[in-house]
Amino acid sequence: VVNVPRARMEGWSLAYTGAAGDWSWFTSLELLDARNQANRLKLQRRADEVLIASLDHRMGAWNWGASMQLVSDRFDNAANTQRLPGFGTVDLHARYALNKDWSLALRLNNVGDKFYEPAYGYNQPGRAAYVTLNWAPKK
């Protein structure tokens, strides 16, 4: 990573959170042009387009949902010669409230087992499942 003395970002970011009944959702869209002001090259590892969305449903003691992330291609180096491809991932999650303090959760990340690298040579894990037991005492 190269330190940049002056950078300029132009564009916009839009986010929306909502809920209706037992459903809740979140969406974020970012369209940005981030550049080094000294040479007008794009900032490394900064995607121009990023879309994040999630949808959750609560049903009694259950809460389940899905989220996705779409990231456009970007440059891995400051010279803008090594391009990293865009990627998209989908995650699934479910949580069951055992009682007021305890819950059991299951998460399945990268459902499609997508290979992607946020930086060249740093590939992310493929599909991964996690089971957690959570304790959050309430008064």
Side-chain angles (χ1 to χ4, degrees), residues 2 14 24 28 30 49 67 72 75 86 100 104 108 111 120 125:
V2 174
L14 178 67
S24 60
S28 170
E30 205 170 79
E49 297 98 17
S67 59
S72 67
F75 291 104
K100 70 180 183 72
L104 184 63
L108 184 59
V111 172
Y120 183 73

Side-chain angles (χ1 to χ4, degrees), residues 21-24 56-65 95 97:
D22 294 332
W23 292 91
S24 60
D56 286 282
H57 182 68
R58 181 173 300 277
M59 187 170 38
W62 286 95
N63 185 353
W64 53 269
R95 178 180 303 271

Side-chain angles (χ1 to χ4, degrees), residues 36-87:
N36 179 337
Q37 288 220 244
N39 58 18
R40 297 294 298 151
L41 293 174
K42 291 196 170 275
L43 295 182
Q44 65 188 102
R45 302 180 185 151
R46 165 97 39 197
D48 286 346
E49 297 98 17
V50 177
L51 174 66
I52 298 170
S54 67
L55 179 65
D56 286 282
H57 182 68
R58 181 173 300 277
M59 187 170 38
W62 286 95
N63 185 353
W64 53 269
S67 59
M68 70 163 211
Q69 176 181 6
L70 300 173
V71 177
S72 67
D73 62 336
R74 61 239 175 265
F75 291 104
D76 187 58
N77 60 351
N80 288 186
T81 58
Q82 187 169 19
R83 189 176 292 272
L84 290 168
F87 63 90

Side-chain angles (χ1 to χ4, degrees), residues 106-123:
L106 172 65
R107 181 163 198 88
L108 184 59
N109 289 347
N110 195 1
V111 172
D113 200 24
K114 176 73 176 167
F115 173 84
Y116 66 99
E117 298 173 302
Y120 183 73
Y122 290 90
N123 58 308

